[in-house]
Amino acid sequence: MKPSQQIYLLLFFLAVSIQTACANDAQQKRFIPVELFTGAKWDGTHQLTLNPVSTTTCAPYDGRPCSNFYISGPLKTTENNTQIKWAGSEISYYRRTFTIPHRGEVISFFTINDSKDGLVRIYDKRQQWGVRKYDGLGSKFPLGYWRQGEVRTYPSRRPTKIEIIELDDPNHCLTFRWVVGQGKKSNQDNNYTFCPNRGLTKITPNNKSK
């Protein structure tokens, strides 16, 4: 084989390898829109926007009967008492409510975090805690571009970690693990599954201690 032919074959196989690597890379990366959280219809645009929604989804928790989660908004705070600098003096947020058997209603406010790669809880009210307000530096739901198996941590008051368990299953559902602090107490280490046009569909605790 002539040297020129060897060079041609080498370049050919190199190009094929690069194309294959790029294809595999694209398959392992996914854009996660806000609409996957809300259950609203997504138009395919790779932008993070809090569009008007009023949705309901139902998700079981560790064998407990399916609970209805209601999401509405966006609404706006009258001031910004968080570390979310991009929001300016007011914060647009979604209001989510659901009921825990024997514990009453839970009300939470969610918005895009300061790093713009997740939805973060900035307010929470429930019977066992009362009212809690957060700095906006954590994350409760991944947004934007993520990869299969990726792990990110957030420097909130109690450090938060998100790990992608299943980036894009056959139904395009997303499953991720959310851990707050050391994750040693109940509801501090859970797997969540969200599906297109439905929102939250399943909650699986990894730590069932009280």
Side-chain angles (χ1 to χ4, degrees):
M1 183 180 294
K2 296 180 179 179
S4 59
Q5 292 176 318
Q6 292 178 335
I7 294 174
Y8 173 80
L9 287 175
L10 179 62
L11 293 175
F12 173 78
F13 286 118
L14 179 61
V16 170
S17 298
I18 292 174
Q19 289 177 349
T20 301
C22 290
N24 290 335
D25 182 71
Q27 291 172 358
Q28 292 298 310
K29 184 168 68 173
R30 177 184 185 182
F31 180 83
I32 303 172
V34 175
E35 287 80 1
L36 190 59
F37 174 82
T38 64
K41 185 176 181 180
W42 179 43
D43 64 5
T45 303
H46 286 203
Q47 294 182 354
L48 301 178
T49 306
L50 300 184
N51 292 314
V53 300
S54 179
T55 58
T56 304
T57 187
C58 190
Y61 175 85
D62 191 29
R64 194 167 67 197
C66 191
S67 298
N68 286 323
F69 291 77
Y70 304 93
I71 298 177
S72 60
L75 306 170
K76 275 193 175 182
T77 62
T78 57
E79 57 185 354
N80 184 352
N81 292 322
T82 73
Q83 297 298 315
I84 303 175
K85 299 177 182 179
W86 67 262
S89 59
E90 298 177 336
I91 301 176
S92 295
Y93 66 89
Y94 286 131
R95 182 179 188 268
R96 188 184 74 176
T97 64
F98 66 98
T99 300
I100 298 177
H102 311 298
R103 290 190 178 183
E105 186 180 47
V106 176
I107 302 173
S108 301
F109 298 166
F110 292 89
T111 192
I112 298 172
N113 63 9
D114 196 53
S115 52
K116 293 187 177 181
D117 66 348
L119 283 170
V120 63
R121 185 168 50 191
I122 58 173
Y123 173 95
D124 191 275
K125 180 181 179 181
R126 61 185 72 196
Q127 181 177 318
Q128 70 268 38
W129 296 348
V131 172
R132 289 186 174 186
K133 297 181 180 180
Y134 302 89
D135 58 17
L137 297 179
S139 184
K140 185 70 174 177
F141 178 87
L143 289 178
Y145 294 102
W146 286 71
R147 298 180 184 278
Q148 176 63 41
E150 185 172 0
V151 178
R152 298 185 193 179
T153 57
Y154 298 88
S156 51
R157 182 174 59 85
R158 291 185 300 171
T160 304
K161 180 177 72 174
I162 288 181
E163 176 184 359
I164 302 299
I165 303 299
E166 182 62 59
L167 182 65
D168 191 4
D169 77 6
N171 294 315
H172 301 299
C173 297
L174 165 74
T175 298
F176 63 92
R177 184 178 184 181
W178 177 83
V179 182
V180 60
Q182 297 298 315
K184 294 182 178 180
K185 295 183 179 180
S186 176
N187 208 37
Q188 291 187 346
D189 184 352
N190 295 331
N191 287 359
Y192 296 92
T193 298
F194 287 78
C195 297
N197 303 316
R198 295 174 64 190
L200 180 62
T201 60
K202 187 178 180 182
I203 306 171
T204 305
N206 295 307
N207 186 344
K208 299 181 181 181
S209 63
K210 301 297 183 183

